[in-house]
Amino acid sequence: MTILLIAEHAGGTLKKSAHELSSAARALDAGATIHALALGAGATSVATELAAWGAQAVRVGEEGFEPYAPLCWTCAVVDVANAVKADVILFGAGALSRDIAGRVAMRLGGTLASDCMALSADGKGIKIVRPTHAGRVTTTGAFSGPGPLVATLRANAFAVLKPAQPGAGNVANLNAPTDTADLRAIVTATVQSTGTRPELSEASIVISGGRSLGSAENFKLIYDLCDVLGAAPGASRAAVDAGYAPHAMQVGQTGRTVNPALYIACGISGAIQHLAGMRTSKTIVAINKDPNAAIFNVADLAVVGDLFQILPALTEEFRKALK
Amino acid sequence: MKIAVCLKPVPSTTADLRPAADGKSLQLSGVEMLVNPYDDYAFEAALKLREALPGSSILAVSAGGDDTAKCVLHAIALGADAAIQVKAPGISARGAAFAIAAALKDFAPDLVLCGRQAIDDDQWEFPGALGELLNIPHVTAVQSLNVDVDGKKLTGKRRFNRDEQTIEATLPAVVSCDKGLNDPRSPTLKGRLDAKKKTATIKTPADLGLDPAALISTIRIETIAPPPQKSPGRIITLPPTDAAREVVRWLCDEAKVV
Ligand SMILES: Cc1cc2nc3c(=O)[nH]c(=O)nc-3n(C[C@H](O)[C@H](O)[C@H](O)COP(=O)(O)OP(=O)(O)OC[C@H]3O[C@@H](n4cnc5c(N)ncnc54)[C@H](O)[C@@H]3O)c2cc1C
């Protein structure tokens, strides 16, 4: 198989998702020819790392790819996929894939599978496992064409394994498309978040607070624990609607989907729409004063008690343990 | 301005979904179907634009099984000027893009609005796929939207990973709508009564020159199952400090996730 990885980076620092794409590609086909594409300012500096992660060839495009224009990026992905005759194109599930993967798949005459949790090949085709209906069901399907498969991979769902041998990593520069039609949609301003905490959908630990926190000030209890653990803070919709936390922090059906190694739910009842955004987390700890809270049904560790007492104690104990 | 709004029927967010006996589909009989919640933001945006730009018209379109009737009725009750129901059961998000692109041909919209994602198949595929078929730009998941009709362009704001982006696009365009864009209104009683007098135009894929088989997903479903059930977790009911110690010990030493 020929597999093209759409490698995302932040100004030249490769994102963790790129390691997951590489690992998923090699797990799908140990003999795959792996190509990688990195676009935007700083793309050139991730080429070496992509080679170390098994890419035989890396295409990088910097000039003309900023500011971000979805059609311009679509065109680049499609051109490279066609040039290398990619059977599979992998994106990390996130803002970029949600913006352009549907268009890429349509232009390639292929098929999109979003938020995949597992991919495997059985000689006849590719088996795809993905949650649908906000995680209420898991769907297993088989794909054997026509056209390539465009798959977006849910963060933290694929085991990360560095290849024993690096790829050749031949780097080629990619020129931006010159058709002005590709600039019909373009970003004109970007406000970067100033926070130092990890990105919610990529974080390996997420700690969320619910309505019961009672105020924006009290969310400090969540932020303090996050900072000790290097975790990303999240919130229930009720907490967001009450103005205790920004919408960007909302986890659930109408917020973000997270899939961390550890999810700590603090004072969250466990409504189905909240579970939709976090139920695939590997380990779930819930703190709730109601022993019958629905969140306990999905929790590996159910802590019954008052979060206003337990959270500060937990922050203190972790601080000691991690010193 | 000519505005098209795409709406999809989806199972209620709280419905208890179970696999059907064949293990390859969902048991949907008796499950309440709703208009996809994100499509409500799209329709509200259309109503606001029509209010601001007199002379505008709104065409609602829904493609899929019989439940699409619910979507077009809802849209008419909210004030859609016209509605098209494409009867094409079992189609995929990609198939819906083909069907709706064909259904919109005569209307030639300046703006096509839809939800950021359909909460049943969660593919996030439709806006980009539709933009491609109509050969117009698409802008996804906006939380604010301004349309400059004379300048033939629109400006949207959205979150993109950690950033807040302002994005501009020329008209015509497809725009998908996120929560936060507006506060969707519900149909009034008068709207619902008036809706009984209007009817949607019903089309089949054949009417639109499409092969229904080409609208079905190319991913062949093998199984649909409930998510893996967890065995009941450990319960801790210790005083706060002891509870905290036990959590830290368990996470560091047993689960080894910290
Ligand atoms: C279409 C739709 C989409 C939705 N999307 C989302 C979504 O994306 N994300 C989301 O989260 N919700 C979503 N919801 C809302 C969801 O149904 C719930 O209303 C919401 O998740 C409840 O938030 P909560 O758990 O913070 O609040 P509550 O349900 O009020 O629960 C508070 C919990 O805190 C506990 N508690 C109170 N005080 C303490 C204390 N001192 N110590 C410990 N525990 C305490 C209580 O026992 C209770 O379990 C959606 C709803 C709809 C209809």
Side-chain angles (χ1 to χ4, degrees):
Chain A
M1 264 188 239
T2 299
I3 304 179
L4 173 62
L5 316 181
I6 310 305
E8 287 183 66
H9 61 98
T13 306
L14 200 61
K15 289 195 182 174
K16 194 173 87 182
S17 61
H19 299 168
E20 296 175 353
L21 302 188
S22 151
S23 305
R26 285 173 286 115
L28 181 58
D29 175 9
T33 306
I34 298 177
H35 292 261
L37 170 64
L39 297 172
T44 315
S45 34
V46 300
T48 322
E49 191 175 342
L50 285 168
W53 280 85
Q56 261 93 34
V58 183
R59 282 177 176 72
V60 294
E62 293 205 20
E63 219 184 300
F65 288 100
E66 301 271 1
Y68 173 69
L71 294 177
C72 172
W73 283 47
T74 298
C75 183
V77 173
V78 168
D79 284 352
V80 174
N82 280 329
V84 305
K85 298 195 172 64
D87 302 296
V88 179
I89 296 106
L90 298 181
F91 283 88
L96 177 67
S97 69
R98 286 166 175 184
D99 202 38
I100 64 170
R103 192 157 193 146
V104 165
M106 182 58 88
R107 193 173 298 175
L108 285 168
T111 288
L112 175 66
S114 290
D115 269 289
C116 300
M117 300 285 291
L119 290 177
S120 57
D122 62 2
K124 291 198 296 283
I126 298 172
K127 208 170 249 201
I128 301 157
V129 180
R130 53 182 299 265
T132 62
H133 297 80
R136 279 178 289 169
V137 292
T138 302
T139 306
T140 304
F143 175 76
S144 52
L149 176 70
V150 180
T152 82
L153 310 188
R154 181 168 283 194
N156 301 320
F158 290 79
V160 172
L161 200 74
K162 205 165 178 171
Q165 296 288 326
N170 301 315
V171 183
N173 200 58
L174 188 75
N175 293 324
T178 50
D179 188 347
T180 50
D182 289 324
L183 302 176
R184 283 177 292 171
I186 189 159
V187 169
T188 53
T190 301
V191 182
Q192 259 154 1
S193 82
T194 46
T196 50
R197 297 193 184 105
E199 156 67 15
L200 192 53
S201 54
E202 278 191 11
S204 50
I205 303 180
V206 174
I207 305 169
S208 294
R211 192 205 316 257
S212 50
L213 263 292
S215 70
E217 292 73 48
N218 288 344
F219 254 79
K220 187 169 182 300
L221 295 173
I222 301 285
Y223 302 137
D224 285 348
L225 182 55
C226 281
D227 292 340
V228 172
L229 289 173
S236 72
R237 170 163 161 181
V240 170
D241 287 351
Y244 305 160
H247 181 243
M249 266 170 59
Q250 184 177 316
V251 172
Q253 185 151 35
T254 43
R256 309 285 292 270
T257 304
V258 299
N259 186 29
L262 172 61
Y263 187 87
I264 307 182
C266 308
I268 292 179
S269 57
I272 188 151
Q273 298 96 345
H274 187 79
L275 299 185
M278 47 63 72
R279 73 182 312 153
T280 57
S281 307
K282 307 266 172 338
T283 299
I284 298 171
V285 175
I287 305 170
N288 200 302
K289 67 177 184 191
D290 173 6
N292 298 317
I295 191 79
F296 286 152
N297 297 335
V298 298
D300 300 282
L301 202 58
V303 185
V304 184
D306 184 352
L307 68 91
F308 291 102
Q309 296 183 325
I310 293 172
L311 269 180
L314 204 50
T315 305
E316 189 49 38
E317 291 302 321
F318 269 122
R319 204 172 266 142
K320 280 194 234 156
L322 298 174
K323 213 166 28 211
Chain B
M1 191 167 62
K2 288 187 284 179
I3 308 163
V5 186
C6 313
L7 306 110
K8 180 179 188 182
V10 296
S12 145
T13 56
T14 46
D16 182 18
L17 294 178
R18 292 170 192 284
D22 65 358
K24 294 180 182 189
S25 57
L26 281 173
Q27 169 62 52
L28 285 178
S29 68
V31 170
E32 189 197 359
M33 299 296 280
L34 305 172
V35 176
N36 180 42
Y38 292 105
D39 303 349
D40 283 330
Y41 302 114
F43 203 86
E44 180 64 29
L47 289 172
K48 287 222 159 65
L49 284 167
R50 191 178 61 182
E51 284 157 14
L53 304 163
S56 297
S57 63
I58 300 175
L59 170 68
V61 202
S62 188
D66 289 342
D67 295 310
T68 49
K70 189 156 194 161
C71 291
V72 295
L73 265 182
H74 178 77
I76 292 173
L78 279 168
D81 298 289
I84 302 177
Q85 183 190 359
V86 184
K87 287 202 169 181
I91 62 175
S92 63
R94 183 170 182 275
F98 277 110
I100 290 180
L104 289 179
K105 213 164 191 168
D106 294 337
F107 184 63
D110 301 298
L111 181 65
V112 184
L113 296 166
C114 62
R116 73 163 196 191
Q117 120 205 51
I119 61 158
D120 51 358
D121 63 9
D122 290 328
Q123 274 273 64
W124 302 77
E125 177 174 18
F126 180 80
L130 184 64
E132 179 66 13
L133 292 170
L134 296 173
N135 191 21
I136 58 177
H138 74 279
V139 171
T140 56
V142 298
Q143 296 181 320
S144 93
L145 176 65
N146 278 298
V147 177
D148 168 3
V149 191
D150 300 325
K152 281 194 150 294
K153 63 175 183 142
L154 65 88
T155 308
K157 283 202 169 132
R158 62 179 181 186
R159 291 206 56 91
F160 202 83
N161 294 327
R162 309 180 64 158
D163 300 340
E164 183 155 316
Q165 283 185 345
T166 306
I167 181 162
E168 281 186 14
T170 55
L171 293 177
V174 177
V175 174
S176 79
C177 303
D178 198 355
K179 186 187 170 203
L181 177 60
N182 51 40
D183 221 343
R185 64 196 87 173
S186 305
T188 57
L189 182 61
K190 180 174 180 306
R192 260 180 271 170
L193 291 172
D194 287 352
K196 297 220 164 95
K197 289 176 233 151
K198 288 196 207 167
T199 48
T201 308
I202 296 177
K203 301 258 185 200
T204 64
D207 296 337
L208 298 167
L210 297 167
D211 170 11
L215 307 181
I216 308 295
S217 177
T218 45
I219 298 176
R220 191 168 30 81
I221 302 297
E222 293 186 337
T223 60
I224 284 194
Q229 288 300 308
K230 285 202 158 180
S231 45
R234 256 192 71 198
I235 300 168
I236 297 182
T237 47
L238 299 165
T241 312
D242 298 332
R245 267 191 206 129
E246 181 51 20
V247 172
V248 172
R249 188 198 66 76
W250 189 82
L251 287 175
C252 296
D253 301 343
E254 273 185 55
K256 294 198 166 59
V257 284
V258 176

